[in-house]
Amino acid sequence: MSLQTFKACFVCKAEFSELNLAAYVTGGCMVDMQVMRNGTKVVRSFKPDFILVRQHAYSMALGEDYRSLVIGLQYGGLPAVNSLYSVYNFCSKPWVFSQLIKIFHSLGPEKFPLVEQTFFPNHKPMLTAPHFPVVVKLGHAHAGMGKIKVENQHDYQDVTSMVAMAKTYATTEAFIDSKYDIRIQKIGSNYKAYMRTSISGNWKANTGSAMLEQVAMTERYRLWVDSCSEMFGGLDICAVKAVHSKDGRDYIIEVMDSSMPLIGEHVEEDKQLMADLVISKMSQLLMPGGTVPSPLRPWAPQTKPAKSPGQAQLGPPLGQPQPRPPTQGGPRPAQSPQPPRSGSPSQQRLSPQGQQPLSPQSGSPQQRSPGSPQLSRASGGSSPNQAPKSSAPLTSQPRPPVQGRSASQQGEEAKKPASPHPHLNKSQSLTNSLSTSDTSQRGTPSEDEAKAETIRNLRKSFASLFSD
């Protein structure tokens, strides 16, 4: 995606109910969105480049099932936060709980205290519970819906009949007399932990009045959310819900994905963190070559294949970031000294002491000022990882000046005519051509400023979007 296209991008906000789409094998995904224009509902068609999913794709309680749209977006190959693969997997809570069971068996009950739960595919196996009270959860729902507290066997049989009418699966877990609820959330690399205490006395802490406060982020909490963020290929945004019982024990009951609600006093900060996360992902995926460093997190330089000894390399050694070009008319920054470069016989000639290559014009070594760019190093032709070779000259040529000789001796040698050598002429022309190409390939400050302005515009768009 070119920089010009990246400048012209826009942000659209819509619910699943307002969307429709068509996905193609080679054409990507075309989305139709219903918008209001002058009081009239019209359809706007566009081809999205990135998606931030902040809505549940499936809920039995509300009768909403948008899994087909998630399939279409995945079919079109659209990148998203969280990934569309994980969004589809989160459309079934028992399916997600099975991933928590794997973590439980991996870390053990001490590090990952998962609540005891039983799954029933239908009402037929639901004869009785091992102990009461229990909490029965019907199907896939959110925000405390579809959850029933059962005190005895008679009530349990009544709930079983409701499961038969619902024609869905159900789970049962032991009721925990909680002191408060715990929520640990992770947005990118930012962590927060909250404690919620019910004031109204309801056994559901998210129902009625409750007091919410932020607590310290412990290593135990960090282990929980980091372990859960690795499921389904990785979750950039997730949260773990747990219950702290009155006997002082913790029980993990659920994990949420990017559709989690934001709570606490730092809602605006969390929105900005999500916007920065999206911009960072877009910068990595949609900019040319995918190698543009993000301003939000450290950039890991990509490794490139090493060049052969006969090839010339422009710019700094591999694995180091490109230096920012100096402003026009300003002083050029001094670069760190590079190891001598050894190349093919047709490109350079070394002195017997392993010094710098001789200049084609005279028998003295080339002098370089400390602040001058190292453009001539391309004539060496070797990779920076190779050590300089201290071998004899390739052809019989005048010896280079030795340190300590008098000026008269050096002048007499300079007057002697240097024997013409075709290799030296090739080295000089190669040096001149590479110097010209290196200068032409350097970027201008205006390109960097344009990219920075693009990132700032996207941040403003996301900030205004979340504020609405």
Side-chain angles (χ1 to χ4, degrees):
M1 189 175 183
S2 64
L3 180 62
Q4 289 77 12
T5 308
F6 196 45
K7 285 182 179 178
C9 69
F10 55 91
V11 179
C12 296
K13 180 181 179 181
E15 296 184 359
F16 280 122
S17 60
E18 302 171 346
L19 299 179
N20 213 334
L21 60 85
Y24 310 92
V25 174
T26 57
C29 184
M30 184 64 65
V31 174
D32 298 332
M33 183 178 67
Q34 298 179 3
V35 296
M36 296 297 297
R37 185 173 299 171
N38 298 328
T40 305
K41 185 176 293 186
V42 297
V43 177
R44 180 178 183 180
S45 299
F46 61 95
K47 190 175 181 179
D49 295 311
F50 201 91
I51 305 171
L52 171 63
V53 182
R54 292 284 294 132
Q55 180 185 357
H56 296 294
Y58 179 59
S59 177
M60 291 182 177
L62 302 178
E64 298 176 343
D65 188 358
Y66 303 110
R67 288 176 290 183
S68 58
L69 293 178
V70 177
I71 294 174
L73 296 173
Q74 176 74 3
Y75 193 96
L78 285 175
V81 171
N82 288 339
S83 67
L84 296 173
Y85 173 76
S86 66
V87 171
Y88 190 84
N89 279 277
F90 266 83
C91 290
S92 176
K93 287 194 174 183
W95 184 266
V96 177
F97 199 88
S98 67
Q99 300 296 314
L100 297 179
I101 297 176
K102 291 182 179 180
I103 301 175
F104 170 78
H105 290 304
S106 175
L107 299 179
E110 296 297 330
K111 294 183 178 180
F112 198 81
L114 187 64
V115 67
E116 185 70 25
Q117 189 180 90
T118 306
F119 173 80
F120 300 100
N122 49 61
H123 71 286
K124 296 179 180 179
M126 299 179 63
L127 302 177
T128 184
H131 47 74
F132 294 98
V134 296
V135 177
V136 180
K137 300 179 180 180
L138 280 72
H140 181 78
H142 309 280
M145 303 184 70
K147 300 176 179 63
I148 306 172
K149 178 183 177 183
V150 180
E151 298 285 353
N152 50 57
Q153 178 66 27
H154 299 289
D155 295 340
Y156 186 82
Q157 294 297 328
D158 294 338
V159 172
T160 302
S161 63
M162 299 300 295
V163 175
M165 294 296 297
K167 297 180 180 180
T168 183
Y169 53 80
T171 59
T172 61
E173 59 188 44
F175 172 75
I176 300 171
D177 191 7
S178 64
K179 186 177 181 180
Y180 53 83
D181 287 359
I182 305 171
R183 167 172 156 160
I184 307 102
Q185 71 179 31
K186 179 181 180 182
I187 302 176
S189 58
N190 182 268
Y191 298 82
K192 288 186 179 70
Y194 294 95
M195 179 179 67
R196 183 174 55 187
T197 306
S198 177
I199 300 177
S200 59
N202 197 305
W203 67 274
K204 299 179 184 178
N206 59 349
T207 303
S209 301
M211 181 178 62
L212 182 68
E213 60 179 316
Q214 187 173 357
V215 296
M217 187 70 189
T218 64
E219 291 299 325
R220 179 181 173 87
Y221 294 164
R222 189 184 299 269
L223 176 63
W224 293 356
V225 70
D226 284 342
S227 301
C228 294
S229 65
E230 297 176 358
M231 63 175 58
F232 303 128
L235 306 175
D236 296 303
I237 302 173
C238 64
V240 176
K241 294 176 64 177
V243 175
H244 184 80
S245 63
K246 293 183 178 180
D247 59 2
R249 301 177 63 183
D250 295 329
Y251 298 91
I252 298 173
I253 60 175
E254 187 182 358
V255 60
M256 298 179 290
D257 64 344
S258 59
S259 60
M260 66 180 186
L262 300 179
I263 60 175
E265 300 177 354
H266 304 283
V267 172
E268 296 301 325
E269 177 187 349
D270 293 341
K271 291 179 180 180
Q272 186 61 43
L273 289 172
M274 289 186 179
D276 293 345
L277 178 62
V278 171
I279 295 174
S280 174
K281 292 289 184 180
M282 291 180 65
S283 299
Q284 297 174 9
L285 296 174
L286 304 180
M287 293 298 284
T291 59
V292 176
S294 170
L296 308 171
R297 60 180 61 180
W299 174 63
Q302 296 184 357
T303 59
K304 298 180 181 179
K307 293 181 177 294
S308 61
Q311 294 178 341
Q313 177 184 350
L314 300 180
L318 298 179
Q320 295 184 5
Q322 296 287 342
R324 182 183 179 91
T327 57
Q328 187 175 4
R332 303 184 68 88
Q335 298 182 355
S336 60
Q338 302 293 335
R341 309 171 67 87
S342 61
S344 61
S346 63
Q347 293 183 352
Q348 74 167 4
R349 179 168 58 86
L350 295 177
S351 64
Q353 289 82 7
Q355 297 176 355
Q356 294 183 356
L358 299 180
S359 171
Q361 304 297 334
S362 64
S364 61
Q366 296 179 354
Q367 300 294 331
R368 181 173 63 234
S369 61
S372 61
Q374 302 179 9
L375 298 179
S376 62
R377 69 176 181 271
S379 62
S382 70
S383 62
N385 296 330
Q386 293 181 352
K389 297 181 181 179
S390 59
S391 59
L394 301 177
T395 58
S396 176
Q397 298 293 338
R399 293 176 61 86
V402 181
Q403 185 176 3
R405 288 190 178 182
S406 62
S408 61
Q409 293 177 353
Q410 295 184 8
E412 292 177 359
E413 291 184 2
K415 292 179 181 179
K416 295 181 180 180
S419 60
H421 200 286
H423 297 319
L424 295 181
N425 296 332
K426 291 182 181 180
S427 176
Q428 179 183 6
S429 61
L430 179 61
T431 301
N432 296 335
S433 61
L434 290 178
S435 301
T436 305
S437 61
D438 192 7
T439 306
S440 61
Q441 290 182 3
R442 288 178 178 270
T444 59
S446 59
E447 294 180 359
D448 296 336
E449 295 174 359
K451 293 178 182 179
E453 182 66 21
T454 301
I455 298 299
R456 287 193 293 268
N457 292 337
L458 281 175
R459 285 178 176 171
K460 293 179 181 179
S461 301
F462 276 104
S464 60
L465 176 65
F466 280 121
S467 62
D468 294 338

PDB file of all heavy atoms in Angstrom, residues 172-201:
ATOM      1  N   THR A 172     -22.406 -26.361  34.505  1.00  0.00           N
ATOM      2  CA  THR A 172     -22.660 -26.161  35.928  1.00  0.00           C
ATOM      3  C   THR A 172     -21.325 -26.026  36.647  1.00  0.00           C
ATOM      4  O   THR A 172     -20.351 -26.716  36.311  1.00  0.00           O
ATOM      5  CB  THR A 172     -23.451 -27.337  36.530  1.00  0.00           C
ATOM      6  OG1 THR A 172     -22.681 -28.542  36.395  1.00  0.00           O
ATOM      7  CG2 THR A 172     -24.785 -27.502  35.832  1.00  0.00           C
ATOM      8  N   GLU A 173     -21.260 -25.140  37.602  1.00  0.00           N
ATOM      9  CA  GLU A 173     -20.054 -24.961  38.406  1.00  0.00           C
ATOM     10  C   GLU A 173     -20.455 -24.621  39.827  1.00  0.00           C
ATOM     11  O   GLU A 173     -21.542 -24.067  40.071  1.00  0.00           O
ATOM     12  CB  GLU A 173     -19.153 -23.871  37.820  1.00  0.00           C
ATOM     13  CG  GLU A 173     -19.812 -22.514  37.719  1.00  0.00           C
ATOM     14  CD  GLU A 173     -18.971 -21.516  36.957  1.00  0.00           C
ATOM     15  OE1 GLU A 173     -18.413 -21.872  35.902  1.00  0.00           O
ATOM     16  OE2 GLU A 173     -18.871 -20.352  37.416  1.00  0.00           O
ATOM     17  N   ALA A 174     -19.617 -24.958  40.764  1.00  0.00           N
ATOM     18  CA  ALA A 174     -19.913 -24.737  42.176  1.00  0.00           C
ATOM     19  C   ALA A 174     -20.042 -23.245  42.462  1.00  0.00           C
ATOM     20  O   ALA A 174     -19.261 -22.429  41.963  1.00  0.00           O
ATOM     21  CB  ALA A 174     -18.818 -25.356  43.038  1.00  0.00           C
ATOM     22  N   PHE A 175     -21.047 -22.896  43.257  1.00  0.00           N
ATOM     23  CA  PHE A 175     -21.233 -21.504  43.642  1.00  0.00           C
ATOM     24  C   PHE A 175     -20.150 -21.109  44.655  1.00  0.00           C
ATOM     25  O   PHE A 175     -19.893 -21.822  45.625  1.00  0.00           O
ATOM     26  CB  PHE A 175     -22.614 -21.298  44.257  1.00  0.00           C
ATOM     27  CG  PHE A 175     -22.810 -19.936  44.847  1.00  0.00           C
ATOM     28  CD1 PHE A 175     -23.010 -18.831  44.034  1.00  0.00           C
ATOM     29  CD2 PHE A 175     -22.770 -19.746  46.222  1.00  0.00           C
ATOM     30  CE1 PHE A 175     -23.175 -17.574  44.579  1.00  0.00           C
ATOM     31  CE2 PHE A 175     -22.938 -18.498  46.776  1.00  0.00           C
ATOM     32  CZ  PHE A 175     -23.141 -17.399  45.954  1.00  0.00           C
ATOM     33  N   ILE A 176     -19.516 -19.966  44.395  1.00  0.00           N
ATOM     34  CA  ILE A 176     -18.442 -19.473  45.254  1.00  0.00           C
ATOM     35  C   ILE A 176     -18.938 -18.229  45.969  1.00  0.00           C
ATOM     36  O   ILE A 176     -19.346 -17.253  45.328  1.00  0.00           O
ATOM     37  CB  ILE A 176     -17.182 -19.157  44.427  1.00  0.00           C
ATOM     38  CG1 ILE A 176     -16.691 -20.419  43.702  1.00  0.00           C
ATOM     39  CG2 ILE A 176     -16.078 -18.578  45.306  1.00  0.00           C
ATOM     40  CD1 ILE A 176     -15.583 -20.154  42.707  1.00  0.00           C
ATOM     41  N   ASP A 177     -18.940 -18.299  47.279  1.00  0.00           N
ATOM     42  CA  ASP A 177     -19.340 -17.143  48.081  1.00  0.00           C
ATOM     43  C   ASP A 177     -18.198 -16.127  48.019  1.00  0.00           C
ATOM     44  O   ASP A 177     -17.229 -16.203  48.768  1.00  0.00           O
ATOM     45  CB  ASP A 177     -19.612 -17.577  49.522  1.00  0.00           C
ATOM     46  CG  ASP A 177     -20.290 -16.490  50.335  1.00  0.00           C
ATOM     47  OD1 ASP A 177     -20.658 -15.451  49.738  1.00  0.00           O
ATOM     48  OD2 ASP A 177     -20.445 -16.658  51.562  1.00  0.00           O
ATOM     49  N   SER A 178     -18.324 -15.183  47.113  1.00  0.00           N
ATOM     50  CA  SER A 178     -17.208 -14.296  46.795  1.00  0.00           C
ATOM     51  C   SER A 178     -17.188 -13.065  47.702  1.00  0.00           C
ATOM     52  O   SER A 178     -18.224 -12.571  48.152  1.00  0.00           O
ATOM     53  CB  SER A 178     -17.283 -13.850  45.333  1.00  0.00           C
ATOM     54  OG  SER A 178     -18.446 -13.083  45.111  1.00  0.00           O
ATOM     55  N   LYS A 179     -15.985 -12.591  47.933  1.00  0.00           N
ATOM     56  CA  LYS A 179     -15.771 -11.336  48.634  1.00  0.00           C
ATOM     57  C   LYS A 179     -15.705 -10.183  47.648  1.00  0.00           C
ATOM     58  O   LYS A 179     -16.221  -9.094  47.909  1.00  0.00           O
ATOM     59  CB  LYS A 179     -14.485 -11.428  49.452  1.00  0.00           C
ATOM     60  CG  LYS A 179     -14.225 -10.229  50.344  1.00  0.00           C
ATOM     61  CD  LYS A 179     -12.963 -10.443  51.178  1.00  0.00           C
ATOM     62  CE  LYS A 179     -12.710  -9.252  52.092  1.00  0.00           C
ATOM     63  NZ  LYS A 179     -11.472  -9.460  52.912  1.00  0.00           N
ATOM     64  N   TYR A 180     -15.063 -10.431  46.500  1.00  0.00           N
ATOM     65  CA  TYR A 180     -15.024  -9.451  45.412  1.00  0.00           C
ATOM     66  C   TYR A 180     -14.594 -10.162  44.138  1.00  0.00           C
ATOM     67  O   TYR A 180     -14.084 -11.298  44.166  1.00  0.00           O
ATOM     68  CB  TYR A 180     -14.061  -8.291  45.725  1.00  0.00           C
ATOM     69  CG  TYR A 180     -12.666  -8.701  46.099  1.00  0.00           C
ATOM     70  CD1 TYR A 180     -11.695  -8.997  45.124  1.00  0.00           C
ATOM     71  CD2 TYR A 180     -12.274  -8.802  47.435  1.00  0.00           C
ATOM     72  CE1 TYR A 180     -10.420  -9.374  45.473  1.00  0.00           C
ATOM     73  CE2 TYR A 180     -10.986  -9.178  47.795  1.00  0.00           C
ATOM     74  CZ  TYR A 180     -10.067  -9.460  46.799  1.00  0.00           C
ATOM     75  OH  TYR A 180      -8.793  -9.835  47.148  1.00  0.00           O
ATOM     76  N   ASP A 181     -14.831  -9.496  43.025  1.00  0.00           N
ATOM     77  CA  ASP A 181     -14.414 -10.004  41.722  1.00  0.00           C
ATOM     78  C   ASP A 181     -13.101  -9.342  41.314  1.00  0.00           C
ATOM     79  O   ASP A 181     -12.803  -8.212  41.726  1.00  0.00           O
ATOM     80  CB  ASP A 181     -15.474  -9.720  40.657  1.00  0.00           C
ATOM     81  CG  ASP A 181     -16.687 -10.620  40.810  1.00  0.00           C
ATOM     82  OD1 ASP A 181     -16.674 -11.464  41.730  1.00  0.00           O
ATOM     83  OD2 ASP A 181     -17.647 -10.461  40.035  1.00  0.00           O
ATOM     84  N   ILE A 182     -12.351 -10.035  40.481  1.00  0.00           N
ATOM     85  CA  ILE A 182     -11.070  -9.536  39.973  1.00  0.00           C
ATOM     86  C   ILE A 182     -11.123  -9.545  38.454  1.00  0.00           C
ATOM     87  O   ILE A 182     -11.623 -10.495  37.845  1.00  0.00           O
ATOM     88  CB  ILE A 182      -9.889 -10.394  40.454  1.00  0.00           C
ATOM     89  CG1 ILE A 182      -9.881 -10.512  41.968  1.00  0.00           C
ATOM     90  CG2 ILE A 182      -8.561  -9.819  39.956  1.00  0.00           C
ATOM     91  CD1 ILE A 182      -8.879 -11.520  42.496  1.00  0.00           C
ATOM     92  N   ARG A 183     -10.628  -8.473  37.870  1.00  0.00           N
ATOM     93  CA  ARG A 183     -10.513  -8.413  36.411  1.00  0.00           C
ATOM     94  C   ARG A 183      -9.123  -7.899  36.055  1.00  0.00           C
ATOM     95  O   ARG A 183      -8.720  -6.821  36.477  1.00  0.00           O
ATOM     96  CB  ARG A 183     -11.578  -7.496  35.813  1.00  0.00           C
ATOM     97  CG  ARG A 183     -11.305  -7.165  34.350  1.00  0.00           C
ATOM     98  CD  ARG A 183     -12.437  -6.437  33.705  1.00  0.00           C
ATOM     99  NE  ARG A 183     -11.992  -5.665  32.559  1.00  0.00           N
ATOM    100  CZ  ARG A 183     -12.790  -5.239  31.599  1.00  0.00           C
ATOM    101  NH1 ARG A 183     -14.082  -5.491  31.657  1.00  0.00           N
ATOM    102  NH2 ARG A 183     -12.316  -4.536  30.601  1.00  0.00           N
ATOM    103  N   ILE A 184      -8.391  -8.691  35.257  1.00  0.00           N
ATOM    104  CA  ILE A 184      -7.057  -8.331  34.789  1.00  0.00           C
ATOM    105  C   ILE A 184      -7.132  -8.182  33.276  1.00  0.00           C
ATOM    106  O   ILE A 184      -7.470  -9.136  32.572  1.00  0.00           O
ATOM    107  CB  ILE A 184      -6.000  -9.381  35.172  1.00  0.00           C
ATOM    108  CG1 ILE A 184      -6.043  -9.668  36.672  1.00  0.00           C
ATOM    109  CG2 ILE A 184      -4.621  -8.919  34.766  1.00  0.00           C
ATOM    110  CD1 ILE A 184      -6.738 -10.953  37.022  1.00  0.00           C
ATOM    111  N   GLN A 185      -6.844  -6.998  32.772  1.00  0.00           N
ATOM    112  CA  GLN A 185      -6.942  -6.740  31.346  1.00  0.00           C
ATOM    113  C   GLN A 185      -5.566  -6.435  30.759  1.00  0.00           C
ATOM    114  O   GLN A 185      -4.669  -5.928  31.437  1.00  0.00           O
ATOM    115  CB  GLN A 185      -7.899  -5.580  31.058  1.00  0.00           C
ATOM    116  CG  GLN A 185      -7.379  -4.219  31.455  1.00  0.00           C
ATOM    117  CD  GLN A 185      -8.361  -3.104  31.136  1.00  0.00           C
ATOM    118  OE1 GLN A 185      -9.576  -3.319  31.158  1.00  0.00           O
ATOM    119  NE2 GLN A 185      -7.852  -1.928  30.834  1.00  0.00           N
ATOM    120  N   LYS A 186      -5.432  -6.745  29.479  1.00  0.00           N
ATOM    121  CA  LYS A 186      -4.189  -6.506  28.741  1.00  0.00           C
ATOM    122  C   LYS A 186      -4.536  -5.917  27.387  1.00  0.00           C
ATOM    123  O   LYS A 186      -5.280  -6.516  26.610  1.00  0.00           O
ATOM    124  CB  LYS A 186      -3.411  -7.814  28.577  1.00  0.00           C
ATOM    125  CG  LYS A 186      -2.113  -7.666  27.795  1.00  0.00           C
ATOM    126  CD  LYS A 186      -1.407  -9.003  27.641  1.00  0.00           C
ATOM    127  CE  LYS A 186      -0.112  -8.848  26.846  1.00  0.00           C
ATOM    128  NZ  LYS A 186       0.568 -10.152  26.640  1.00  0.00           N
ATOM    129  N   ILE A 187      -3.997  -4.725  27.102  1.00  0.00           N
ATOM    130  CA  ILE A 187      -4.175  -4.062  25.814  1.00  0.00           C
ATOM    131  C   ILE A 187      -2.780  -3.812  25.253  1.00  0.00           C
ATOM    132  O   ILE A 187      -2.073  -2.915  25.709  1.00  0.00           O
ATOM    133  CB  ILE A 187      -4.953  -2.752  25.950  1.00  0.00           C
ATOM    134  CG1 ILE A 187      -6.316  -2.995  26.583  1.00  0.00           C
ATOM    135  CG2 ILE A 187      -5.117  -2.082  24.587  1.00  0.00           C
ATOM    136  CD1 ILE A 187      -7.114  -1.727  26.838  1.00  0.00           C
ATOM    137  N   GLY A 188      -2.388  -4.611  24.287  1.00  0.00           N
ATOM    138  CA  GLY A 188      -1.019  -4.514  23.791  1.00  0.00           C
ATOM    139  C   GLY A 188      -0.040  -4.948  24.863  1.00  0.00           C
ATOM    140  O   GLY A 188      -0.013  -6.102  25.286  1.00  0.00           O
ATOM    141  N   SER A 189       0.771  -4.011  25.328  1.00  0.00           N
ATOM    142  CA  SER A 189       1.720  -4.279  26.413  1.00  0.00           C
ATOM    143  C   SER A 189       1.329  -3.562  27.697  1.00  0.00           C
ATOM    144  O   SER A 189       2.133  -3.482  28.621  1.00  0.00           O
ATOM    145  CB  SER A 189       3.128  -3.838  25.988  1.00  0.00           C
ATOM    146  OG  SER A 189       3.148  -2.463  25.658  1.00  0.00           O
ATOM    147  N   ASN A 190       0.092  -3.061  27.776  1.00  0.00           N
ATOM    148  CA  ASN A 190      -0.377  -2.350  28.964  1.00  0.00           C
ATOM    149  C   ASN A 190      -1.242  -3.282  29.813  1.00  0.00           C
ATOM    150  O   ASN A 190      -2.130  -3.977  29.290  1.00  0.00           O
ATOM    151  CB  ASN A 190      -1.180  -1.110  28.557  1.00  0.00           C
ATOM    152  CG  ASN A 190      -1.658  -0.310  29.743  1.00  0.00           C
ATOM    153  OD1 ASN A 190      -2.763  -0.518  30.251  1.00  0.00           O
ATOM    154  ND2 ASN A 190      -0.835   0.629  30.191  1.00  0.00           N
ATOM    155  N   TYR A 191      -1.004  -3.303  31.112  1.00  0.00           N
ATOM    156  CA  TYR A 191      -1.725  -4.174  32.042  1.00  0.00           C
ATOM    157  C   TYR A 191      -2.446  -3.318  33.083  1.00  0.00           C
ATOM    158  O   TYR A 191      -1.911  -2.306  33.549  1.00  0.00           O
ATOM    159  CB  TYR A 191      -0.766  -5.125  32.764  1.00  0.00           C
ATOM    160  CG  TYR A 191      -0.019  -6.085  31.872  1.00  0.00           C
ATOM    161  CD1 TYR A 191       1.128  -5.697  31.192  1.00  0.00           C
ATOM    162  CD2 TYR A 191      -0.457  -7.397  31.707  1.00  0.00           C
ATOM    163  CE1 TYR A 191       1.822  -6.578  30.389  1.00  0.00           C
ATOM    164  CE2 TYR A 191       0.236  -8.291  30.906  1.00  0.00           C
ATOM    165  CZ  TYR A 191       1.367  -7.874  30.249  1.00  0.00           C
ATOM    166  OH  TYR A 191       2.044  -8.748  29.436  1.00  0.00           O
ATOM    167  N   LYS A 192      -3.648  -3.764  33.458  1.00  0.00           N
ATOM    168  CA  LYS A 192      -4.391  -3.136  34.549  1.00  0.00           C
ATOM    169  C   LYS A 192      -5.162  -4.221  35.291  1.00  0.00           C
ATOM    170  O   LYS A 192      -5.618  -5.212  34.692  1.00  0.00           O
ATOM    171  CB  LYS A 192      -5.372  -2.075  34.033  1.00  0.00           C
ATOM    172  CG  LYS A 192      -4.728  -0.795  33.529  1.00  0.00           C
ATOM    173  CD  LYS A 192      -5.787   0.239  33.176  1.00  0.00           C
ATOM    174  CE  LYS A 192      -5.164   1.540  32.703  1.00  0.00           C
ATOM    175  NZ  LYS A 192      -4.533   1.385  31.374  1.00  0.00           N
ATOM    176  N   ALA A 193      -5.338  -4.018  36.598  1.00  0.00           N
ATOM    177  CA  ALA A 193      -6.098  -4.952  37.439  1.00  0.00           C
ATOM    178  C   ALA A 193      -7.130  -4.167  38.239  1.00  0.00           C
ATOM    179  O   ALA A 193      -6.827  -3.085  38.769  1.00  0.00           O
ATOM    180  CB  ALA A 193      -5.165  -5.721  38.375  1.00  0.00           C
ATOM    181  N   TYR A 194      -8.350  -4.695  38.315  1.00  0.00           N
ATOM    182  CA  TYR A 194      -9.450  -4.034  39.014  1.00  0.00           C
ATOM    183  C   TYR A 194     -10.087  -5.005  40.004  1.00  0.00           C
ATOM    184  O   TYR A 194     -10.097  -6.229  39.792  1.00  0.00           O
ATOM    185  CB  TYR A 194     -10.517  -3.541  38.025  1.00  0.00           C
ATOM    186  CG  TYR A 194     -10.046  -2.450  37.097  1.00  0.00           C
ATOM    187  CD1 TYR A 194      -9.576  -2.752  35.824  1.00  0.00           C
ATOM    188  CD2 TYR A 194     -10.076  -1.108  37.483  1.00  0.00           C
ATOM    189  CE1 TYR A 194      -9.144  -1.752  34.966  1.00  0.00           C
ATOM    190  CE2 TYR A 194      -9.646  -0.103  36.630  1.00  0.00           C
ATOM    191  CZ  TYR A 194      -9.184  -0.436  35.375  1.00  0.00           C
ATOM    192  OH  TYR A 194      -8.756   0.559  34.530  1.00  0.00           O
ATOM    193  N   MET A 195     -10.651  -4.434  41.056  1.00  0.00           N
ATOM    194  CA  MET A 195     -11.393  -5.191  42.058  1.00  0.00           C
ATOM    195  C   MET A 195     -12.796  -4.609  42.132  1.00  0.00           C
ATOM    196  O   MET A 195     -12.968  -3.390  42.290  1.00  0.00           O
ATOM    197  CB  MET A 195     -10.702  -5.105  43.421  1.00  0.00           C
ATOM    198  CG  MET A 195     -11.417  -5.853  44.526  1.00  0.00           C
ATOM    199  SD  MET A 195     -10.537  -5.727  46.118  1.00  0.00           S
ATOM    200  CE  MET A 195     -10.732  -3.973  46.467  1.00  0.00           C
ATOM    201  N   ARG A 196     -13.814  -5.464  42.033  1.00  0.00           N
ATOM    202  CA  ARG A 196     -15.208  -5.026  42.044  1.00  0.00           C
ATOM    203  C   ARG A 196     -15.943  -5.711  43.191  1.00  0.00           C
ATOM    204  O   ARG A 196     -15.994  -6.934  43.263  1.00  0.00           O
ATOM    205  CB  ARG A 196     -15.875  -5.339  40.705  1.00  0.00           C
ATOM    206  CG  ARG A 196     -17.308  -4.853  40.593  1.00  0.00           C
ATOM    207  CD  ARG A 196     -17.837  -5.065  39.177  1.00  0.00           C
ATOM    208  NE  ARG A 196     -17.721  -6.460  38.744  1.00  0.00           N
ATOM    209  CZ  ARG A 196     -17.992  -6.873  37.509  1.00  0.00           C
ATOM    210  NH1 ARG A 196     -18.369  -5.995  36.597  1.00  0.00           N
ATOM    211  NH2 ARG A 196     -17.869  -8.156  37.188  1.00  0.00           N
ATOM    212  N   THR A 197     -16.511  -4.900  44.078  1.00  0.00           N
ATOM    213  CA  THR A 197     -17.231  -5.404  45.249  1.00  0.00           C
ATOM    214  C   THR A 197     -18.698  -5.018  45.136  1.00  0.00           C
ATOM    215  O   THR A 197     -19.029  -3.846  44.916  1.00  0.00           O
ATOM    216  CB  THR A 197     -16.634  -4.827  46.547  1.00  0.00           C
ATOM    217  OG1 THR A 197     -15.231  -5.089  46.575  1.00  0.00           O
ATOM    218  CG2 THR A 197     -17.292  -5.445  47.761  1.00  0.00           C
ATOM    219  N   SER A 198     -19.579  -6.002  45.296  1.00  0.00           N
ATOM    220  CA  SER A 198     -21.013  -5.748  45.190  1.00  0.00           C
ATOM    221  C   SER A 198     -21.517  -5.008  46.422  1.00  0.00           C
ATOM    222  O   SER A 198     -21.180  -5.362  47.565  1.00  0.00           O
ATOM    223  CB  SER A 198     -21.774  -7.070  45.012  1.00  0.00           C
ATOM    224  OG  SER A 198     -23.163  -6.846  44.974  1.00  0.00           O
ATOM    225  N   ILE A 199     -22.320  -3.986  46.193  1.00  0.00           N
ATOM    226  CA  ILE A 199     -22.919  -3.216  47.281  1.00  0.00           C
ATOM    227  C   ILE A 199     -24.369  -3.604  47.494  1.00  0.00           C
ATOM    228  O   ILE A 199     -24.870  -3.643  48.622  1.00  0.00           O
ATOM    229  CB  ILE A 199     -22.805  -1.705  46.987  1.00  0.00           C
ATOM    230  CG1 ILE A 199     -21.339  -1.304  46.853  1.00  0.00           C
ATOM    231  CG2 ILE A 199     -23.471  -0.882  48.080  1.00  0.00           C
ATOM    232  CD1 ILE A 199     -21.150   0.156  46.488  1.00  0.00           C
ATOM    233  N   SER A 200     -25.063  -3.943  46.427  1.00  0.00           N
ATOM    234  CA  SER A 200     -26.486  -4.288  46.516  1.00  0.00           C
ATOM    235  C   SER A 200     -26.731  -5.664  47.101  1.00  0.00           C
ATOM    236  O   SER A 200     -27.887  -6.002  47.408  1.00  0.00           O
ATOM    237  CB  SER A 200     -27.114  -4.196  45.118  1.00  0.00           C
ATOM    238  OG  SER A 200     -26.462  -5.081  44.220  1.00  0.00           O
ATOM    239  N   GLY A 201     -25.696  -6.471  47.253  1.00  0.00           N
ATOM    240  CA  GLY A 201     -25.878  -7.795  47.836  1.00  0.00           C
ATOM    241  C   GLY A 201     -26.228  -8.864  46.828  1.00  0.00           C
ATOM    242  O   GLY A 201     -26.477 -10.014  47.210  1.00  0.00           O
TER     243      GLY A 201
END
